[in-house]
Structure formats: C-alpha cells, structure tokens
Amino acid sequence: MSVDRDEEVIAAYAAGEDVGHIEQRFGISADGIRRIVAAGTGVEAATDDRPTAQRPRATPLTVAGIVLMALGLVGPCAGGILWLAVYYLSETAYPVSSWQDGNVAVGLSGVCAGSVLTVTGLVLLLLARNQRR
C-alpha cells in the first residue's frame, strides 16, 4: 500500500469518518484500517468488538435524570428569571401590578423550583453512573 493512501486513511480516521465508509472508499478491511492507524500514529485505533446486546444502554435512571434536568432548566427556572426580568424592566407594572413585591417571590420561587429539579436530575445521573460500575 502506498504512503499517500495510508496518510489518507489516517486523515479520514482522525477526522472521525465512519470505519465502514473508509472500508468502502479504500477497499480495506476494518483490521487493515486499525493496523494502518496504529503504524502511522503509534496509537491503537479504538475498537468496540462487543456485540450490540452487551453495549451499555441508557437506563431508566439516566433518562429520568436528563428529563428532570431539562425540565428544571427550561421550565420553572427560565420562567422565574423571565418573570423577574419583566417585573423589573416594566418598573414593577407587570406581570401582576397588584401583587407588588409578591412578583419577586413568584420569580424566585420559580428559580428555586427549577434549581431543585435540575439538582435532582444531576443526582440521578450520578447514581446511574455509579450503578454501571
């Protein structure tokens, strides 16, 4: 195999191109690609020879953690910040002028509720990570 072709294979692999695509493009097996990358860079190419059934999957705990974090940040936390921004930018006329300082309590409550959801989601993600070990 020519040096130029080896360099192209290494460059394609380093760019994150799919090994299957490199196989088709250069007519080299996956093992051949790994050998070229290892010889050219001195670093072993990453392999994942495990069957699909043995690869880690997202657990319900992981999914719940991600959902709680997203809901906490997008829902109450962002809503509370928006409530406070509207209150102060409108010079206390909006969202509800009759509540006066109660608007601050509503905004801060939203921020706190969003923070609690986000931290709970983070804790669930850490628990899911520890379960996999």
Side-chain angles (χ1 to χ4, degrees), residues 61 64-69 72 112-127:
L61 210 52
I66 291 171
V67 167
L68 281 176
M69 286 182 68
C112 290
S115 298
V116 167
L117 284 174
T118 303
V119 170
T120 304
L122 182 62
V123 169
L124 289 178
L125 285 175
L126 291 174
L127 287 173

Side-chain angles (χ1 to χ4, degrees), residues 65-120:
I66 291 171
V67 167
L68 281 176
M69 286 182 68
L71 286 176
L73 288 173
V74 173
C77 196
I81 291 170
L82 183 63
W83 189 284
L84 290 171
V86 167
Y87 178 69
Y88 283 111
L89 290 176
S90 70
E91 296 178 1
T92 69
Y94 297 105
V96 182
S97 60
S98 63
W99 287 0
Q100 297 172 353
D101 290 337
N103 285 302
V104 175
V106 170
L108 290 178
S109 297
V111 171
C112 290
S115 298
V116 167
L117 284 174
T118 303
V119 170
T120 304

Side-chain angles (χ1 to χ4, degrees), residues 3-68:
V3 175
D4 291 337
R5 191 172 186 188
D6 289 356
E7 289 175 1
E8 286 183 46
V9 169
I10 292 170
Y13 186 83
E17 202 170 309
D18 183 45
V19 174
H21 186 268
I22 298 172
E23 285 178 318
Q24 290 176 347
R25 187 168 143 198
F26 294 101
I28 306 169
S29 68
D31 289 332
I33 294 169
R34 288 187 189 94
R35 274 190 243 112
I36 291 170
V37 170
T41 61
V43 177
E44 283 294 320
T47 61
D48 192 359
D49 297 333
R50 296 179 289 183
T52 306
Q54 292 179 355
R55 291 187 184 150
R57 294 181 179 258
T59 63
L61 210 52
T62 303
V63 173
I66 291 171
V67 167
L68 281 176

